[in-house]
Amino acid sequence: MSEAGARGSASRLHEQLDLISELLRKLRRPGHLPQPGTDQGFRESQLELQRLLDALHPADIAYVLEALPLEDRLAIWQRVKADRDGEILLEVSDAVRESLIADMDDHEILAAVEPLDADELADLVEDLPTEVLPELMASLDAQQRERVQAALSYPDDQVGALMDFEMVTIREDITLETVLRYLRRFDELPAQTDKLFVINQDNLLTGVLPLHWLLVNSPEKTVSEVMAPDVNTFHPTDDAYEAAQAFERYDLVTAPVVDGSGHLIGRITIDAMVDVLREESESEALSRGGLREEEDIFASAWKSVRNRWAWLAINLVTAFIASRVIGLFEGSIQHLVALAALMPIVAGIGGNSGNQTITMIVRALALDQISPASARRLWGKESVVALVNGLVWGSVIGTVAWMLYDNLPLGVVMTAAMTLNLVLAAFCGVGIPLLMTKLGRDPALGSSVMITAMTDSGGFFIFLGLATLFLM
Amino acid sequence: MSEAGARGSASRLHEQLDLISELLRKLRRPGHLPQPGTDQGFRESQLELQRLLDALHPADIAYVLEALPLEDRLAIWQRVKADRDGEILLEVSDAVRESLIADMDDHEILAAVEPLDADELADLVEDLPTEVLPELMASLDAQQRERVQAALSYPDDQVGALMDFEMVTIREDITLETVLRYLRRFDELPAQTDKLFVINQDNLLTGVLPLHWLLVNSPEKTVSEVMAPDVNTFHPTDDAYEAAQAFERYDLVTAPVVDGSGHLIGRITIDAMVDVLREESESEALSRGGLREEEDIFASAWKSVRNRWAWLAINLVTAFIASRVIGLFEGSIQHLVALAALMPIVAGIGGNSGNQTITMIVRALALDQISPASARRLWGKESVVALVNGLVWGSVIGTVAWMLYDNLPLGVVMTAAMTLNLVLAAFCGVGIPLLMTKLGRDPALGSSVMITAMTDSGGFFIFLGLATLFLM
């Protein structure tokens, strides 16, 4: 059970990682390689490393594997007891999992994943080499196979792909005393069990019995007297992130999953939901940063290049467009070269301000706080904010430009261009995510690149255009 | 208890929000204002609104309040039953809480917060007007007051500020039968209770008894036979985010908090830890986006301006520095105006690539995956990635520049500048977060602004410098 075994605080874990790296280095010292068996220190290091690894929780081994370069990672992976391989594969990130599975032969893979539950198997299946799948499926009993297939039939972002099938169900016409006796026949309860699911003979969910209520109520009462009839129930096609938000909102630990006619088919648990919340926020951070997906920091340079190419290419196109906008005004720049030095300020501040707005709107959309009615109000407010910022900071930088180049009209153009570009940034900062949502797309994805493209090209056009009109 | 009452899925919640907005609009129709009492439709709308609100979970009311503009928000707030005010204040974001408290008089505030537990009170205290605090503290009994003060004595990011004091403790020499009888004397168990804490007569924590084990073991066994002696125990000065990561790693629901000598002083629960995880990822997203703190989307324009000024000012300084770098080369630009059009491409791609690197490094640092030894390796790898990207994309854009301006040397300079700026971006993308961590600062904070400042000024300097050396 999850309570056993010493656990590390983050700092202790870090110490252990250092110790493991140190031991690996000792074991690799060239002097030791010729006759490892004869060297006392070598054997001791080996034993100590093995002791350390055996004492670690699978989640901690996963952490160690993530934090080690590929060569050391595989050295550790080979020393981990085979019966824990499956659990560890579940804990590591997709990128690291790939590197570990690549190091295993088919037989090892099968041995690692066979002890897993159906929902866990379903999580791993897509990362396994296809040639082991027939043998794996054949090794499952009919019920397990059906469950794996059920879990695989839902996309990753739906509740059905995350539900598990380990749960305790009871009937509503029995007494709590009977429930207590029934539970004592278990060796252990499914992890995270905080409630029992009450079903009738047709397997329809009629309520839940929290363990708390089982414990505080008199054993003579019946389940139906004590149970809660109305619960947070999910459907397998519900959006996983919305379910996770419900877990967060209502402080849930587990919740039942029912099909369209109310039959209990599984449950979801807080640990899966915490993973969903983390993945959601990470993928947002990654896509903002221009990475396609989570990256193993020790991945080969080639893998990293591929992961980053898509966004770089998009950025190259938007930068080229901005460059052509400048190209339109080469005559003006030739005439007044100060324009070249000042134009990045207009574009840069617009980008920063637009990113502020879009960050806030994307967050509010993720929390479902924006209705069509409030969109207009937000546009109004953001325009006011942009006007204030534009007039204040635009005047500051306009004054600096005036002083620097001793050219008052240039300062005025600078102020006007800053203000207009900030208003453009506000308009796009509210509009782009709303439009993306309307088109059914993730508003976070590429939001930063898009707003920056608008404020760069727009800023150059506004500033150089105004300069051409009024200063030439 | 938390199981009662119908709950909304996200979409149902959204519908209810629309309904509430609709009802509020009806209640505000000018035609109704003169004699509201005489109008049947008005009274019905009022009753329906009240019915809707009374049926909502406090967390759902918090959601509704967050999603409504200030005026509507306060109209709803006044209709919420006073005995739920405290719970709702705990659920809303800091920015919205401020707007709600500003609308309450001292008497209402005291009535709202008095039913709360010590740890909840401590969460709210800093948002309350100072003049109510003496009366509030006087209304608490000695134990409560001591607990509030204990919680207030820890900074927000430590476990001590998040622990609660509602927990069930037992002795280890009694039988499970006695434990079961003891629990039946409770009306309900503290929320989230998944384990009982076993203490000796000196209040030292000697183990934990998961409810699961209480249920599956024979009632004749004693607590000491069944309990787990070794647990995930936290200290009040532990970092809250590290504790939350431990909850995530080990799938915990609750964990004990002990002082330096091992006395049990409180517990932390998964719901508080989920909030910590969310706040951590949000504050990262916000600071990347250049917002000082979480913003109420319906905040006044003035509040928004203040929230965004700090980053805009910093950005203005960095943009000005970049502008002065360009200023150094005005002679070259005058001579070859194509430089002005091409220079933003060099800076822009560098910024994008640097942001990719820094996003990945910041994430790996947050997960504690980078040791000093691996830093050198990362620098090496990122430099290779930058070289590949620089040579490939630099050649593409260099060729385009060559064609466009019919100037081969210009194309070569462009390619070289792109490559060098990407290498600079890689160097800073790894170095800045490592340096920030070494200085004890949050590596996420401002990372995007800093890397962009480096790649802008650096990109302009490299490109214009090379052009001046080789093309003039």
Side-chain angles (χ1 to χ4, degrees):
Chain A
M1 264 295 297
S2 64
E3 298 308 323
R7 300 295 169 60
S9 67
S11 53
R12 218 187 97 205
L13 209 51
H14 210 152
E15 277 165 35
Q16 287 181 316
L17 175 61
D18 290 342
L19 195 53
I20 288 171
S21 299
E22 174 68 28
L23 287 168
L24 279 173
R25 206 162 47 246
K26 274 193 202 158
L27 293 176
R28 231 181 8 236
R29 263 218 320 269
H32 287 303
L33 278 182
Q35 313 105 324
T38 62
D39 186 313
Q40 179 68 17
F42 185 92
R43 258 209 314 272
E44 268 172 20
S45 297
Q46 245 180 345
L47 281 174
E48 192 183 343
L49 180 57
Q50 198 61 52
R51 243 193 333 264
L52 259 173
L53 291 178
D54 291 348
L56 282 178
H57 186 277
D60 293 336
I61 296 192
Y63 159 78
V64 169
L65 292 170
E66 301 256 356
L68 289 175
L70 190 61
E71 181 191 351
D72 290 350
R73 182 186 295 162
L74 296 181
I76 294 296
W77 184 232
Q78 278 146 16
R79 286 168 197 271
V80 170
K81 290 251 184 304
D83 58 349
R84 312 211 291 168
D85 281 2
E87 273 179 276
I88 296 166
L89 284 177
L90 285 172
E91 297 277 351
V92 295
S93 65
D94 289 353
V96 170
R97 184 182 301 150
E98 212 177 288
S99 71
L100 297 177
I101 288 178
D103 188 54
M104 300 166 81
D105 63 32
D106 291 359
H107 176 77
E108 285 172 322
I109 292 174
L110 281 173
V113 302
E114 270 174 352
L116 298 180
D117 290 336
D119 62 308
E120 297 170 330
L121 259 180
D123 286 347
L124 286 184
V125 158
E126 58 196 36
D127 294 322
L128 299 179
T130 40
E131 69 267 21
V132 308
L133 293 186
E135 196 174 338
L136 173 61
M137 291 310 258
S139 73
L140 302 175
D141 64 34
Q143 190 195 35
Q144 281 279 90
R145 194 159 47 232
E146 202 177 291
R147 287 172 170 181
V148 171
Q149 276 155 352
L152 285 173
S153 70
Y154 298 101
D156 276 354
D157 60 352
Q158 288 189 358
V159 162
L162 301 170
M163 67 183 173
D164 69 57
F165 306 93
E166 312 302 314
M167 53 197 174
V168 181
T169 55
I170 51 174
R171 290 286 161 80
E172 64 180 48
D173 51 2
I174 59 177
T175 63
L176 299 189
E177 177 67 46
T178 313
V179 175
L180 289 169
R181 268 206 319 264
Y182 172 62
L183 292 180
R184 278 188 207 114
R185 303 207 320 242
F186 284 78
D187 288 328
E188 58 180 44
L189 300 185
Q192 312 271 24
T193 297
D194 70 324
K195 56 176 70 102
L196 311 177
F197 300 117
V198 185
I199 53 175
N200 67 15
Q201 54 221 17
D202 298 324
N203 201 28
L204 285 169
L205 181 74
T206 59
V208 295
L209 178 67
L211 295 186
H212 286 190
W213 297 3
L214 173 62
L215 289 167
V216 300
N217 279 289
S218 151
E220 284 88 49
K221 288 192 180 165
T222 63
V223 169
S224 58
E225 286 176 89
V226 175
M227 72 182 193
D230 203 2
V231 291
N232 294 282
T233 304
F234 295 91
H235 294 281
T237 54
D238 284 349
D239 181 70
Y241 182 59
E242 286 191 4
Q245 287 181 306
F247 267 67
E248 192 181 353
R249 207 189 289 276
Y250 307 124
D251 299 340
L252 302 177
V253 175
T254 66
V257 179
V258 299
D259 67 12
S261 36
H263 296 106
L264 180 67
I265 53 177
R267 61 162 195 168
I268 42 177
T269 56
I270 179 74
D271 52 316
M273 294 299 109
V274 169
D275 291 346
V276 169
L277 290 173
R278 169 172 292 281
E279 273 162 28
E280 181 75 18
S281 69
E282 290 216 329
S283 77
E284 197 189 303
L286 292 175
S287 67
R288 264 165 201 288
L291 297 165
R292 214 181 52 199
E293 56 182 31
E294 192 183 10
E295 194 173 307
D296 173 5
I297 53 168
F298 299 108
S300 67
W302 173 234
K303 271 200 182 161
S304 297
V305 166
R306 277 186 303 168
N307 192 28
R308 304 182 197 176
W309 253 0
W311 282 112
L312 276 183
I314 293 172
N315 197 240
L316 203 67
V317 172
T318 64
F320 185 73
I321 294 172
S323 166
R324 292 322 302 147
V325 171
I326 300 172
L328 293 177
F329 299 99
E330 280 179 2
S332 307
I333 293 173
Q334 190 113 47
H335 188 78
L336 182 63
V337 78
L339 297 180
L342 294 175
M343 66 189 186
I345 301 182
V346 176
I349 304 294
N352 187 287
S353 175
N355 269 300
Q356 290 179 332
T357 302
I358 213 167
T359 300
M360 202 195 60
I361 301 291
V362 165
R363 176 176 169 275
L365 282 170
L367 298 175
D368 213 10
Q369 284 173 355
I370 299 185
S371 65
S374 49
R376 239 164 308 142
R377 192 186 283 258
L378 284 173
W379 251 312
K381 182 192 121 183
E382 291 297 319
S383 304
V384 172
V385 173
L387 269 176
V388 172
N389 279 332
L391 290 173
V392 172
W393 296 117
S395 300
V396 169
I397 205 76
T399 309
V400 172
W402 169 25
M403 301 297 185
L404 208 59
Y405 294 97
D406 196 16
N407 184 338
L408 176 58
L410 178 62
V412 175
V413 164
M414 185 83 193
T415 305
M418 281 267 289
T419 308
L420 288 177
N421 199 30
L422 288 189
V423 172
L424 173 71
F427 180 80
C428 297
V430 177
I432 291 176
L434 289 180
L435 184 68
M436 296 295 272
T437 308
K438 205 157 220 170
L439 297 177
R441 289 161 166 272
D442 175 4
L445 192 70
S447 58
S448 177
V449 171
M450 272 185 292
I451 189 83
T452 307
M454 297 302 297
T455 53
D456 272 2
S457 293
F460 293 141
F461 184 80
I462 292 169
F463 177 60
L464 297 174
L466 287 178
T468 305
L469 279 179
F470 296 107
L471 304 179
M472 297 299 124
Chain B
M1 265 296 298
S2 64
E3 299 308 322
R7 300 294 168 61
S9 68
S11 53
R12 217 186 99 206
L13 210 50
H14 211 150
E15 277 165 34
Q16 287 181 315
L17 176 62
D18 290 342
L19 196 53
I20 287 171
S21 300
E22 175 66 28
L23 285 169
L24 278 173
R25 206 163 48 246
K26 273 194 204 157
L27 292 176
R28 231 180 10 235
R29 262 217 321 268
H32 287 303
L33 279 182
Q35 314 106 321
T38 61
D39 185 312
Q40 181 68 16
F42 185 91
R43 257 206 318 269
E44 268 173 21
S45 297
Q46 243 179 346
L47 280 175
E48 192 182 344
L49 180 58
Q50 197 62 50
R51 242 193 334 265
L52 260 173
L53 291 178
D54 291 347
L56 282 178
H57 186 276
D60 293 336
I61 296 192
Y63 159 79
V64 168
L65 293 170
E66 301 256 356
L68 287 175
L70 190 60
E71 183 191 349
D72 289 350
R73 183 185 293 162
L74 296 181
I76 294 296
W77 184 232
Q78 278 146 16
R79 286 168 197 270
V80 170
K81 289 252 185 306
D83 58 348
R84 311 211 293 167
D85 281 1
E87 273 179 276
I88 295 166
L89 284 176
L90 284 172
E91 297 278 352
V92 294
S93 65
D94 289 353
V96 171
R97 185 183 300 150
E98 213 177 288
S99 71
L100 297 177
I101 288 178
D103 189 53
M104 301 167 80
D105 64 31
D106 292 358
H107 177 76
E108 284 172 323
I109 294 174
L110 281 173
V113 301
E114 269 172 354
L116 299 179
D117 290 335
D119 63 306
E120 297 171 330
L121 258 181
D123 286 348
L124 285 184
V125 158
E126 58 197 37
D127 294 322
L128 299 180
T130 41
E131 69 268 20
V132 307
L133 294 186
E135 198 175 337
L136 173 60
M137 292 309 259
S139 73
L140 302 175
D141 64 34
Q143 193 196 32
Q144 281 280 88
R145 194 157 48 229
E146 203 177 290
R147 286 172 169 180
V148 171
Q149 276 155 354
L152 285 174
S153 70
Y154 298 102
D156 275 354
D157 61 352
Q158 288 189 356
V159 163
L162 301 169
M163 66 184 175
D164 70 57
F165 307 93
E166 313 301 315
M167 52 198 174
V168 181
T169 56
I170 52 173
R171 288 287 161 79
E172 64 181 49
D173 51 3
I174 59 176
T175 63
L176 300 189
E177 176 68 46
T178 314
V179 175
L180 288 169
R181 268 208 317 266
Y182 172 62
L183 292 180
R184 278 187 207 115
R185 304 209 318 243
F186 284 78
D187 288 328
E188 59 179 43
L189 300 184
Q192 310 272 24
T193 296
D194 70 324
K195 57 175 72 101
L196 310 177
F197 299 117
V198 185
I199 53 175
N200 66 16
Q201 53 221 17
D202 299 324
N203 199 31
L204 286 168
L205 182 75
T206 59
V208 294
L209 178 66
L211 294 185
H212 286 191
W213 297 3
L214 173 63
L215 290 167
V216 299
N217 279 288
S218 150
E220 284 89 49
K221 287 194 182 166
T222 63
V223 169
S224 58
E225 286 176 86
V226 176
M227 72 182 192
D230 205 0
V231 290
N232 294 283
T233 303
F234 295 91
H235 294 280
T237 53
D238 284 348
D239 181 71
Y241 182 59
E242 288 192 3
Q245 286 180 307
F247 267 67
E248 190 181 354
R249 206 189 289 276
Y250 306 124
D251 299 341
L252 303 177
V253 175
T254 66
V257 179
V258 300
D259 66 12
S261 36
H263 295 106
L264 179 67
I265 53 176
R267 62 163 195 167
I268 43 179
T269 56
I270 179 75
D271 52 316
M273 294 298 109
V274 169
D275 291 345
V276 170
L277 290 173
R278 170 171 290 281
E279 274 163 29
E280 182 75 18
S281 70
E282 290 217 327
S283 77
E284 198 189 303
L286 292 175
S287 67
R288 265 165 200 288
L291 297 166
R292 215 179 52 198
E293 56 182 33
E294 192 183 9
E295 195 173 304
D296 172 4
I297 53 169
F298 299 108
S300 67
W302 173 234
K303 271 199 183 160
S304 299
V305 166
R306 276 186 305 168
N307 192 28
R308 303 181 198 177
W309 253 0
W311 282 113
L312 276 183
I314 292 172
N315 197 239
L316 202 67
V317 172
T318 64
F320 185 72
I321 294 172
S323 165
R324 293 321 301 147
V325 170
I326 300 172
L328 294 176
F329 299 97
E330 280 180 3
S332 306
I333 294 172
Q334 190 113 46
H335 187 79
L336 182 63
V337 78
L339 298 180
L342 294 175
M343 66 187 185
I345 300 183
V346 176
I349 305 295
N352 188 288
S353 175
N355 269 301
Q356 291 179 332
T357 302
I358 212 165
T359 300
M360 203 196 60
I361 301 290
V362 165
R363 176 176 169 274
L365 281 170
L367 298 175
D368 213 9
Q369 285 175 355
I370 298 184
S371 64
S374 50
R376 240 163 307 140
R377 191 186 284 257
L378 285 173
W379 252 312
K381 182 193 122 183
E382 291 297 319
S383 303
V384 172
V385 173
L387 270 174
V388 172
N389 279 333
L391 290 172
V392 173
W393 296 118
S395 301
V396 169
I397 204 78
T399 310
V400 172
W402 168 26
M403 303 296 185
L404 208 58
Y405 294 97
D406 195 17
N407 184 339
L408 176 60
L410 179 62
V412 174
V413 162
M414 185 83 192
T415 305
M418 281 266 289
T419 308
L420 287 177
N421 199 30
L422 288 190
V423 172
L424 173 70
F427 179 80
C428 297
V430 177
I432 291 176
L434 289 180
L435 184 68
M436 296 295 271
T437 308
K438 206 158 221 170
L439 297 177
R441 288 159 167 277
D442 175 3
L445 192 70
S447 58
S448 177
V449 171
M450 272 185 292
I451 189 82
T452 308
M454 298 300 297
T455 52
D456 272 2
S457 294
F460 292 142
F461 184 79
I462 292 169
F463 178 60
L464 297 174
L466 287 178
T468 305
L469 281 177
F470 297 106
L471 304 180
M472 297 298 125

Short mmCIF file of all heavy atoms in Angstrom, two decimals, chain A residues 106 136 160 164 198 294 330 410 432 459 472:
data_model
loop_
_atom_site.label_atom_id
_atom_site.label_comp_id
_atom_site.label_asym_id
_atom_site.label_seq_id
_atom_site.Cartn_x
_atom_site.Cartn_y
_atom_site.Cartn_z
N ASP A 106 11.15 -7.30 -26.47
CA ASP A 106 9.71 -7.58 -26.41
C ASP A 106 9.34 -8.35 -25.15
O ASP A 106 8.31 -8.08 -24.51
CB ASP A 106 9.26 -8.38 -27.65
CG ASP A 106 9.33 -7.53 -28.90
OD1 ASP A 106 9.70 -6.34 -28.77
OD2 ASP A 106 9.02 -8.04 -29.99
N LEU A 136 0.40 -9.30 -26.19
CA LEU A 136 -0.08 -8.68 -24.96
C LEU A 136 -1.59 -8.87 -24.83
O LEU A 136 -2.08 -9.30 -23.78
CB LEU A 136 0.27 -7.18 -24.99
CG LEU A 136 -0.30 -6.34 -23.86
CD1 LEU A 136 0.22 -6.83 -22.51
CD2 LEU A 136 0.07 -4.87 -24.04
N GLY A 160 -13.36 8.96 -20.41
CA GLY A 160 -13.29 7.53 -20.67
C GLY A 160 -11.88 6.98 -20.76
O GLY A 160 -11.61 5.84 -20.39
N ASP A 164 -10.74 4.30 -14.22
CA ASP A 164 -10.27 2.96 -13.92
C ASP A 164 -11.47 2.13 -13.49
O ASP A 164 -12.60 2.62 -13.40
CB ASP A 164 -9.12 2.97 -12.91
CG ASP A 164 -9.54 3.40 -11.53
OD1 ASP A 164 -10.44 2.76 -10.96
OD2 ASP A 164 -8.94 4.35 -11.01
N VAL A 198 -23.15 2.61 -4.89
CA VAL A 198 -24.35 1.83 -4.63
C VAL A 198 -25.08 1.58 -5.95
O VAL A 198 -25.40 2.54 -6.67
CB VAL A 198 -25.30 2.58 -3.65
CG1 VAL A 198 -26.48 1.70 -3.29
CG2 VAL A 198 -24.53 3.02 -2.42
N GLU A 294 6.13 18.50 -24.90
CA GLU A 294 7.03 18.26 -23.80
C GLU A 294 8.35 17.70 -24.33
O GLU A 294 8.32 16.83 -25.18
CB GLU A 294 6.34 17.23 -22.92
CG GLU A 294 6.91 17.01 -21.58
CD GLU A 294 6.11 15.89 -20.91
OE1 GLU A 294 5.30 15.22 -21.60
OE2 GLU A 294 6.29 15.67 -19.75
N GLU A 330 11.25 52.10 -47.30
CA GLU A 330 12.70 52.28 -47.31
C GLU A 330 13.09 53.71 -47.66
O GLU A 330 14.06 54.25 -47.13
CB GLU A 330 13.36 51.27 -48.24
CG GLU A 330 13.49 49.91 -47.57
CD GLU A 330 14.12 48.85 -48.45
OE1 GLU A 330 14.51 49.16 -49.59
OE2 GLU A 330 14.21 47.69 -47.99
N LEU A 410 8.95 64.42 -34.93
CA LEU A 410 9.27 63.00 -34.79
C LEU A 410 8.76 62.47 -33.45
O LEU A 410 8.18 61.36 -33.37
CB LEU A 410 10.79 62.81 -34.90
CG LEU A 410 11.31 61.38 -34.73
CD1 LEU A 410 10.76 60.47 -35.82
CD2 LEU A 410 12.84 61.35 -34.75
N ILE A 432 -8.36 37.83 -30.87
CA ILE A 432 -7.77 36.57 -31.35
C ILE A 432 -8.24 35.37 -30.53
O ILE A 432 -8.75 34.40 -31.09
CB ILE A 432 -6.23 36.66 -31.40
CG1 ILE A 432 -5.80 37.63 -32.51
CG2 ILE A 432 -5.60 35.29 -31.64
CD1 ILE A 432 -4.30 37.87 -32.58
N GLY A 459 2.78 47.66 -35.93
CA GLY A 459 3.56 48.76 -35.36
C GLY A 459 4.46 49.42 -36.40
O GLY A 459 4.53 50.65 -36.48
N MET A 472 7.80 63.68 -44.09
CA MET A 472 8.57 63.70 -45.34
C MET A 472 8.31 64.99 -46.11
O MET A 472 7.29 65.59 -46.00
CB MET A 472 8.19 62.49 -46.21
CG MET A 472 8.55 61.16 -45.56
SD MET A 472 10.30 60.97 -45.23
CE MET A 472 10.34 60.65 -43.50
#
